[in-house]
Short mmCIF file of all heavy atoms in Angstrom, two decimals:
data_model
loop_
_atom_site.label_atom_id
_atom_site.label_comp_id
_atom_site.label_asym_id
_atom_site.label_seq_id
_atom_site.Cartn_x
_atom_site.Cartn_y
_atom_site.Cartn_z
N ILE A 1 -28.56 17.50 -15.86
CA ILE A 1 -28.51 16.09 -15.58
C ILE A 1 -29.46 15.63 -14.42
O ILE A 1 -30.26 14.79 -14.54
CB ILE A 1 -27.06 15.57 -15.41
CG1 ILE A 1 -26.28 15.82 -16.71
CG2 ILE A 1 -27.06 14.17 -14.74
CD1 ILE A 1 -26.68 14.82 -17.72
N VAL A 2 -29.32 16.41 -13.37
CA VAL A 2 -30.04 16.00 -12.11
C VAL A 2 -31.53 16.20 -12.44
O VAL A 2 -32.36 15.38 -11.90
CB VAL A 2 -29.54 16.90 -10.86
CG1 VAL A 2 -30.42 16.66 -9.71
CG2 VAL A 2 -28.21 16.55 -10.57
N ALA A 3 -31.96 17.30 -13.13
CA ALA A 3 -33.40 17.53 -13.35
C ALA A 3 -33.92 16.45 -14.24
O ALA A 3 -35.22 16.22 -14.07
CB ALA A 3 -33.48 18.89 -14.01
N HIS A 4 -33.32 15.75 -15.02
CA HIS A 4 -33.95 14.83 -15.89
C HIS A 4 -33.57 13.38 -15.68
O HIS A 4 -33.65 12.44 -16.38
CB HIS A 4 -33.51 15.12 -17.38
CG HIS A 4 -34.14 16.44 -17.89
ND1 HIS A 4 -33.44 17.67 -17.79
CD2 HIS A 4 -35.28 16.70 -18.41
CE1 HIS A 4 -34.08 18.64 -18.25
NE2 HIS A 4 -35.31 18.07 -18.69
N ARG A 5 -33.03 13.01 -14.42
CA ARG A 5 -32.49 11.83 -14.12
C ARG A 5 -33.45 11.18 -13.16
O ARG A 5 -34.01 11.71 -12.21
CB ARG A 5 -31.07 12.05 -13.31
CG ARG A 5 -30.41 10.63 -13.06
CD ARG A 5 -29.20 10.98 -12.12
NE ARG A 5 -29.36 11.57 -10.96
CZ ARG A 5 -28.46 11.98 -10.04
NH1 ARG A 5 -27.12 11.70 -10.36
NH2 ARG A 5 -28.75 12.65 -8.93
N SER A 6 -33.50 9.75 -13.33
CA SER A 6 -34.31 8.98 -12.34
C SER A 6 -33.24 7.88 -11.88
O SER A 6 -32.17 7.78 -12.44
CB SER A 6 -35.47 8.33 -13.14
OG SER A 6 -35.03 7.30 -14.00
N PRO A 7 -33.72 7.06 -10.95
CA PRO A 7 -32.83 5.91 -10.52
C PRO A 7 -32.33 4.94 -11.60
O PRO A 7 -31.30 4.29 -11.41
CB PRO A 7 -33.72 5.15 -9.44
CG PRO A 7 -34.69 6.25 -8.91
CD PRO A 7 -34.85 7.09 -10.21
N VAL A 8 -33.19 4.93 -12.73
CA VAL A 8 -32.82 3.96 -13.84
C VAL A 8 -32.04 4.77 -15.07
O VAL A 8 -31.75 4.10 -16.03
CB VAL A 8 -34.01 3.27 -14.36
CG1 VAL A 8 -34.48 2.33 -13.23
CG2 VAL A 8 -35.01 4.14 -14.84
N GLY A 9 -31.88 6.04 -14.93
CA GLY A 9 -31.13 6.79 -15.95
C GLY A 9 -31.94 7.99 -16.32
O GLY A 9 -33.01 8.39 -15.72
N LEU A 10 -31.48 8.58 -17.44
CA LEU A 10 -32.19 9.74 -18.04
C LEU A 10 -33.59 9.39 -18.48
O LEU A 10 -33.86 8.27 -19.02
CB LEU A 10 -31.40 10.32 -19.38
CG LEU A 10 -30.08 11.10 -18.93
CD1 LEU A 10 -29.48 11.53 -20.25
CD2 LEU A 10 -30.33 12.21 -17.99
N ASP A 11 -34.54 10.28 -18.41
CA ASP A 11 -35.84 10.14 -18.84
C ASP A 11 -35.75 9.88 -20.35
O ASP A 11 -35.12 10.49 -21.16
CB ASP A 11 -36.66 11.52 -18.78
CG ASP A 11 -37.94 11.50 -19.38
OD1 ASP A 11 -38.84 10.84 -18.74
OD2 ASP A 11 -38.18 11.90 -20.47
N PRO A 12 -36.26 8.71 -20.80
CA PRO A 12 -36.14 8.28 -22.21
C PRO A 12 -36.61 9.40 -23.22
O PRO A 12 -35.78 9.51 -24.18
CB PRO A 12 -37.09 7.09 -22.20
CG PRO A 12 -37.21 6.58 -20.88
CD PRO A 12 -37.13 7.71 -19.98
N GLU A 13 -37.59 10.07 -23.00
CA GLU A 13 -38.02 11.22 -24.01
C GLU A 13 -36.98 12.21 -24.08
O GLU A 13 -36.61 12.88 -25.09
CB GLU A 13 -39.33 11.77 -23.63
CG GLU A 13 -40.53 10.66 -23.76
CD GLU A 13 -41.87 11.37 -23.57
OE1 GLU A 13 -41.88 12.68 -23.32
OE2 GLU A 13 -42.90 10.66 -23.56
N TYR A 14 -36.50 12.47 -22.82
CA TYR A 14 -35.38 13.61 -22.83
C TYR A 14 -34.20 13.03 -23.65
O TYR A 14 -33.64 13.79 -24.42
CB TYR A 14 -35.11 14.08 -21.43
CG TYR A 14 -34.03 15.06 -21.20
CD1 TYR A 14 -34.37 16.46 -21.72
CD2 TYR A 14 -32.76 14.76 -20.91
CE1 TYR A 14 -33.36 17.38 -21.56
CE2 TYR A 14 -31.71 15.64 -20.78
CZ TYR A 14 -32.06 17.03 -21.13
OH TYR A 14 -31.02 18.02 -20.93
N ALA A 15 -33.77 11.96 -23.28
CA ALA A 15 -32.57 11.35 -23.95
C ALA A 15 -32.84 11.27 -25.45
O ALA A 15 -31.86 11.57 -26.15
CB ALA A 15 -32.33 9.87 -23.43
N ALA A 16 -33.93 10.89 -25.85
CA ALA A 16 -34.32 10.84 -27.36
C ALA A 16 -34.13 12.20 -27.98
O ALA A 16 -33.96 12.23 -29.23
CB ALA A 16 -35.57 10.13 -27.61
N SER A 17 -34.48 13.14 -27.29
CA SER A 17 -34.49 14.56 -27.81
C SER A 17 -33.08 15.05 -28.12
O SER A 17 -32.97 16.16 -28.69
CB SER A 17 -35.25 15.48 -26.92
OG SER A 17 -34.41 15.79 -25.71
N LEU A 18 -32.05 14.38 -27.57
CA LEU A 18 -30.62 14.91 -27.81
C LEU A 18 -30.15 14.59 -29.12
O LEU A 18 -29.24 13.62 -29.25
CB LEU A 18 -29.81 14.35 -26.64
CG LEU A 18 -30.26 14.77 -25.27
CD1 LEU A 18 -29.38 13.95 -24.05
CD2 LEU A 18 -30.32 16.20 -25.02
N GLN A 19 -30.69 15.23 -30.11
CA GLN A 19 -30.28 14.88 -31.51
C GLN A 19 -29.16 15.75 -31.86
O GLN A 19 -29.14 16.84 -31.48
CB GLN A 19 -31.53 15.03 -32.41
CG GLN A 19 -32.58 14.22 -32.26
CD GLN A 19 -32.19 12.63 -32.25
OE1 GLN A 19 -31.49 12.23 -33.23
NE2 GLN A 19 -32.74 11.81 -31.28
N GLY A 20 -28.23 15.23 -32.70
CA GLY A 20 -27.02 16.05 -33.10
C GLY A 20 -25.97 16.06 -31.89
O GLY A 20 -26.11 15.33 -30.99
N ASN A 21 -24.84 16.79 -32.02
CA ASN A 21 -23.87 16.86 -31.01
C ASN A 21 -24.38 17.35 -29.64
O ASN A 21 -25.05 18.42 -29.65
CB ASN A 21 -22.68 17.62 -31.54
CG ASN A 21 -21.97 17.01 -32.60
OD1 ASN A 21 -22.24 15.86 -33.04
ND2 ASN A 21 -20.91 17.71 -33.10
N SER A 22 -24.04 16.63 -28.61
CA SER A 22 -24.48 16.92 -27.18
C SER A 22 -23.22 17.20 -26.40
O SER A 22 -22.44 16.10 -26.23
CB SER A 22 -25.41 16.03 -26.68
OG SER A 22 -26.66 15.92 -27.48
N TYR A 23 -23.07 18.23 -25.79
CA TYR A 23 -21.92 18.51 -24.80
C TYR A 23 -22.45 18.52 -23.46
O TYR A 23 -23.50 19.14 -23.00
CB TYR A 23 -21.43 19.91 -25.08
CG TYR A 23 -20.03 20.06 -24.38
CD1 TYR A 23 -18.81 20.08 -25.14
CD2 TYR A 23 -19.91 20.50 -23.06
CE1 TYR A 23 -17.56 20.29 -24.54
CE2 TYR A 23 -18.66 20.67 -22.45
CZ TYR A 23 -17.62 20.73 -23.18
OH TYR A 23 -16.30 20.98 -22.64
N ILE A 24 -21.87 17.55 -22.56
CA ILE A 24 -22.28 17.31 -21.21
C ILE A 24 -21.09 17.56 -20.16
O ILE A 24 -20.15 16.89 -20.35
CB ILE A 24 -22.75 15.82 -21.06
CG1 ILE A 24 -23.73 15.46 -22.12
CG2 ILE A 24 -23.24 15.58 -19.54
CD1 ILE A 24 -24.36 14.19 -22.07
N PHE A 25 -21.32 18.49 -19.35
CA PHE A 25 -20.34 18.81 -18.35
C PHE A 25 -21.02 18.43 -17.03
O PHE A 25 -22.00 19.16 -16.59
CB PHE A 25 -20.06 20.26 -18.37
CG PHE A 25 -19.06 20.70 -17.27
CD1 PHE A 25 -17.80 20.32 -16.95
CD2 PHE A 25 -19.71 21.57 -16.28
CE1 PHE A 25 -16.99 20.66 -15.90
CE2 PHE A 25 -18.99 21.92 -15.09
CZ PHE A 25 -17.69 21.50 -14.92
N THR A 26 -20.39 17.45 -16.34
CA THR A 26 -21.05 17.08 -15.05
C THR A 26 -20.10 16.16 -14.27
O THR A 26 -19.20 15.66 -14.84
CB THR A 26 -22.39 16.20 -15.38
OG1 THR A 26 -22.97 16.00 -13.99
CG2 THR A 26 -22.03 14.93 -15.90
N TRP A 27 -20.44 16.09 -12.84
CA TRP A 27 -19.65 15.17 -12.17
C TRP A 27 -20.82 14.07 -11.65
O TRP A 27 -20.47 13.28 -10.79
CB TRP A 27 -19.10 15.87 -10.83
CG TRP A 27 -20.06 16.70 -10.02
CD1 TRP A 27 -20.96 16.34 -9.06
CD2 TRP A 27 -20.33 18.12 -10.26
NE1 TRP A 27 -21.63 17.41 -8.60
CE2 TRP A 27 -21.22 18.44 -9.33
CE3 TRP A 27 -19.79 19.09 -11.04
CZ2 TRP A 27 -21.74 19.75 -9.21
CZ3 TRP A 27 -20.26 20.30 -10.99
CH2 TRP A 27 -21.24 20.79 -9.98
N GLU A 28 -21.95 14.17 -12.09
CA GLU A 28 -23.12 13.35 -11.68
C GLU A 28 -23.13 12.16 -12.64
O GLU A 28 -23.03 12.22 -13.86
CB GLU A 28 -24.36 13.99 -11.56
CG GLU A 28 -24.45 15.14 -10.53
CD GLU A 28 -24.85 14.53 -9.24
OE1 GLU A 28 -25.04 13.34 -9.02
OE2 GLU A 28 -24.85 15.37 -8.22
N TRP A 29 -23.52 10.84 -12.22
CA TRP A 29 -23.86 9.74 -13.10
C TRP A 29 -25.33 10.15 -13.57
O TRP A 29 -26.15 10.79 -12.91
CB TRP A 29 -23.93 8.47 -12.33
CG TRP A 29 -24.90 8.46 -11.04
CD1 TRP A 29 -24.85 8.82 -9.84
CD2 TRP A 29 -26.32 7.99 -11.31
NE1 TRP A 29 -25.94 8.60 -9.08
CE2 TRP A 29 -26.85 8.17 -9.90
CE3 TRP A 29 -27.08 7.56 -12.32
CZ2 TRP A 29 -28.35 7.79 -9.80
CZ3 TRP A 29 -28.47 7.11 -12.06
CH2 TRP A 29 -29.04 7.37 -10.84
N PHE A 30 -25.58 9.63 -14.79
CA PHE A 30 -26.93 9.77 -15.36
C PHE A 30 -27.40 8.38 -15.92
O PHE A 30 -28.49 8.35 -16.56
CB PHE A 30 -27.11 10.90 -16.37
CG PHE A 30 -25.96 10.96 -17.36
CD1 PHE A 30 -26.09 10.47 -18.73
CD2 PHE A 30 -24.77 11.62 -17.00
CE1 PHE A 30 -25.18 10.63 -19.56
CE2 PHE A 30 -23.72 11.69 -17.99
CZ PHE A 30 -23.89 11.26 -19.29
N TYR A 31 -26.73 7.36 -15.73
CA TYR A 31 -27.25 6.02 -15.86
C TYR A 31 -26.50 5.22 -14.93
O TYR A 31 -25.25 5.30 -14.67
CB TYR A 31 -26.88 5.42 -17.22
CG TYR A 31 -27.67 6.01 -18.26
CD1 TYR A 31 -27.45 7.02 -19.09
CD2 TYR A 31 -29.01 5.45 -18.56
CE1 TYR A 31 -28.15 7.49 -20.19
CE2 TYR A 31 -29.83 5.95 -19.60
CZ TYR A 31 -29.45 6.95 -20.22
OH TYR A 31 -30.28 7.51 -21.19
N PRO A 32 -27.17 4.30 -14.15
CA PRO A 32 -26.41 3.36 -13.26
C PRO A 32 -25.47 2.51 -13.95
O PRO A 32 -25.64 2.02 -15.06
CB PRO A 32 -27.60 2.56 -12.65
CG PRO A 32 -28.66 2.62 -13.53
CD PRO A 32 -28.61 3.88 -14.20
N ALA A 33 -24.24 2.26 -13.30
CA ALA A 33 -23.21 1.58 -13.99
C ALA A 33 -23.51 0.09 -14.11
O ALA A 33 -23.92 -0.54 -13.17
CB ALA A 33 -21.86 1.80 -13.22
N GLU A 34 -23.42 -0.49 -15.25
CA GLU A 34 -23.50 -1.94 -15.48
C GLU A 34 -22.35 -2.67 -15.03
O GLU A 34 -22.38 -3.63 -14.38
CB GLU A 34 -23.67 -2.20 -16.97
CG GLU A 34 -24.98 -1.51 -17.60
CD GLU A 34 -24.95 -1.47 -19.14
OE1 GLU A 34 -23.97 -1.97 -19.72
OE2 GLU A 34 -25.95 -1.29 -19.67
N ASP A 35 -21.11 -2.05 -15.19
CA ASP A 35 -19.96 -2.62 -14.82
C ASP A 35 -18.89 -1.56 -15.04
O ASP A 35 -19.12 -0.42 -15.42
CB ASP A 35 -19.48 -4.00 -15.41
CG ASP A 35 -19.46 -3.88 -16.84
OD1 ASP A 35 -18.82 -2.87 -17.43
OD2 ASP A 35 -20.01 -4.80 -17.49
N TYR A 36 -17.52 -1.89 -14.70
CA TYR A 36 -16.50 -0.91 -14.95
C TYR A 36 -15.47 -1.46 -15.92
O TYR A 36 -14.17 -1.20 -15.82
CB TYR A 36 -15.93 -0.47 -13.67
CG TYR A 36 -16.81 0.49 -12.94
CD1 TYR A 36 -17.87 -0.08 -12.01
CD2 TYR A 36 -16.80 1.79 -13.16
CE1 TYR A 36 -18.59 0.82 -11.49
CE2 TYR A 36 -17.70 2.63 -12.47
CZ TYR A 36 -18.55 2.10 -11.63
OH TYR A 36 -19.55 2.97 -11.13
N HIS A 37 -15.82 -2.22 -16.80
CA HIS A 37 -14.91 -2.98 -17.80
C HIS A 37 -14.19 -1.90 -18.65
O HIS A 37 -13.13 -2.29 -19.19
CB HIS A 37 -15.59 -3.94 -18.72
CG HIS A 37 -16.33 -3.40 -19.80
ND1 HIS A 37 -17.60 -3.03 -19.73
CD2 HIS A 37 -15.97 -3.26 -21.09
CE1 HIS A 37 -17.93 -2.41 -20.92
NE2 HIS A 37 -17.02 -2.57 -21.79
N LEU A 38 -14.64 -0.67 -18.83
CA LEU A 38 -14.11 0.38 -19.62
C LEU A 38 -12.62 0.65 -19.04
O LEU A 38 -11.86 1.20 -19.71
CB LEU A 38 -14.86 1.55 -19.66
CG LEU A 38 -16.29 1.43 -20.41
CD1 LEU A 38 -17.02 2.75 -20.30
CD2 LEU A 38 -16.22 0.95 -21.84
N PHE A 39 -12.51 0.45 -17.82
CA PHE A 39 -11.39 1.02 -17.16
C PHE A 39 -10.47 -0.14 -16.73
O PHE A 39 -10.79 -0.92 -15.73
CB PHE A 39 -11.79 1.80 -15.89
CG PHE A 39 -12.83 2.91 -16.28
CD1 PHE A 39 -14.12 2.67 -16.06
CD2 PHE A 39 -12.41 4.11 -16.72
CE1 PHE A 39 -15.04 3.55 -16.37
CE2 PHE A 39 -13.26 5.14 -17.09
CZ PHE A 39 -14.62 4.76 -16.75
N ARG A 40 -9.47 -0.39 -17.36
CA ARG A 40 -8.44 -1.42 -16.97
C ARG A 40 -7.00 -0.62 -16.60
O ARG A 40 -6.50 0.01 -17.55
CB ARG A 40 -8.18 -2.34 -18.28
CG ARG A 40 -9.33 -3.25 -18.60
CD ARG A 40 -9.10 -4.04 -19.70
NE ARG A 40 -8.64 -3.31 -20.90
CZ ARG A 40 -7.66 -3.60 -21.78
NH1 ARG A 40 -6.93 -4.70 -21.43
NH2 ARG A 40 -7.50 -2.84 -22.83
N PRO A 41 -6.56 -0.80 -15.50
CA PRO A 41 -5.41 -0.11 -15.01
C PRO A 41 -4.19 -0.48 -15.98
O PRO A 41 -4.14 -1.63 -16.56
CB PRO A 41 -5.03 -0.56 -13.67
CG PRO A 41 -6.47 -0.94 -13.21
CD PRO A 41 -7.27 -1.54 -14.37
N THR A 42 -3.29 0.47 -16.13
CA THR A 42 -2.02 0.21 -16.84
C THR A 42 -1.36 -1.12 -16.35
O THR A 42 -1.64 -1.52 -15.18
CB THR A 42 -1.04 1.34 -16.77
OG1 THR A 42 -0.60 1.50 -15.46
CG2 THR A 42 -1.75 2.52 -17.47
N GLU A 43 -0.58 -1.76 -17.04
CA GLU A 43 0.09 -3.00 -16.65
C GLU A 43 0.91 -2.75 -15.41
O GLU A 43 0.88 -3.56 -14.60
CB GLU A 43 0.87 -3.56 -17.77
CG GLU A 43 0.11 -4.06 -18.90
CD GLU A 43 0.94 -4.73 -19.99
OE1 GLU A 43 2.25 -4.79 -19.84
OE2 GLU A 43 0.33 -5.10 -21.05
N ALA A 44 1.60 -1.58 -15.40
CA ALA A 44 2.32 -1.32 -14.18
C ALA A 44 1.59 -1.18 -12.88
O ALA A 44 1.95 -1.66 -11.77
CB ALA A 44 3.19 -0.09 -14.36
N LEU A 45 0.45 -0.48 -13.08
CA LEU A 45 -0.46 -0.33 -11.87
C LEU A 45 -1.21 -1.57 -11.49
O LEU A 45 -1.31 -1.81 -10.32
CB LEU A 45 -1.44 0.85 -12.12
CG LEU A 45 -0.88 2.28 -12.08
CD1 LEU A 45 -2.00 3.28 -12.72
CD2 LEU A 45 -0.51 2.64 -10.75
N GLN A 46 -1.56 -2.30 -12.50
CA GLN A 46 -2.28 -3.58 -12.14
C GLN A 46 -1.22 -4.61 -11.47
O GLN A 46 -1.70 -5.25 -10.49
CB GLN A 46 -2.70 -4.27 -13.42
CG GLN A 46 -3.48 -5.57 -13.23
CD GLN A 46 -4.83 -5.16 -12.54
OE1 GLN A 46 -5.58 -4.39 -12.92
NE2 GLN A 46 -5.08 -5.91 -11.43
N ALA A 47 0.08 -4.36 -11.79
CA ALA A 47 1.03 -5.29 -11.06
C ALA A 47 1.04 -4.97 -9.59
O ALA A 47 1.15 -5.77 -8.79
CB ALA A 47 2.37 -5.27 -11.70
N ARG A 48 0.99 -3.57 -9.30
CA ARG A 48 1.06 -3.23 -7.99
C ARG A 48 -0.23 -3.52 -7.19
O ARG A 48 -0.19 -4.05 -6.07
CB ARG A 48 1.11 -1.69 -7.91
CG ARG A 48 2.61 -1.10 -8.34
CD ARG A 48 2.48 0.34 -8.21
NE ARG A 48 2.33 0.73 -6.82
CZ ARG A 48 2.03 1.96 -6.58
NH1 ARG A 48 1.81 3.05 -7.48
NH2 ARG A 48 1.78 2.41 -5.20
#
């Protein structure tokens, strides 16, 4: 991930080469976050 990452994300040619199932194990971002709408706390946690 680190070797093929730039400030705007994975190198486009490298990303396009990932045909078929791709397994990624990492703690690094590889695209800058647009937002965090994917993550909505549970109702109980949101109340807190």
Side-chain angles (χ1 to χ4, degrees):
I1 291 295
V2 172
H4 294 93
R5 180 184 68 180
S6 75
V8 296
L10 287 180
D11 174 77
E13 291 187 8
Y14 180 73
S17 73
L18 301 176
Q19 301 299 315
N21 288 357
S22 296
Y23 189 104
I24 304 174
F25 170 71
T26 185
W27 55 87
E28 295 278 358
W29 63 272
F30 44 100
Y31 286 98
E34 299 169 353
D35 56 46
Y36 286 88
H37 79 276
L38 299 175
F39 307 96
R40 295 180 299 133
T42 64
E43 291 184 2
L45 285 171
Q46 188 62 56
R48 292 181 59 196

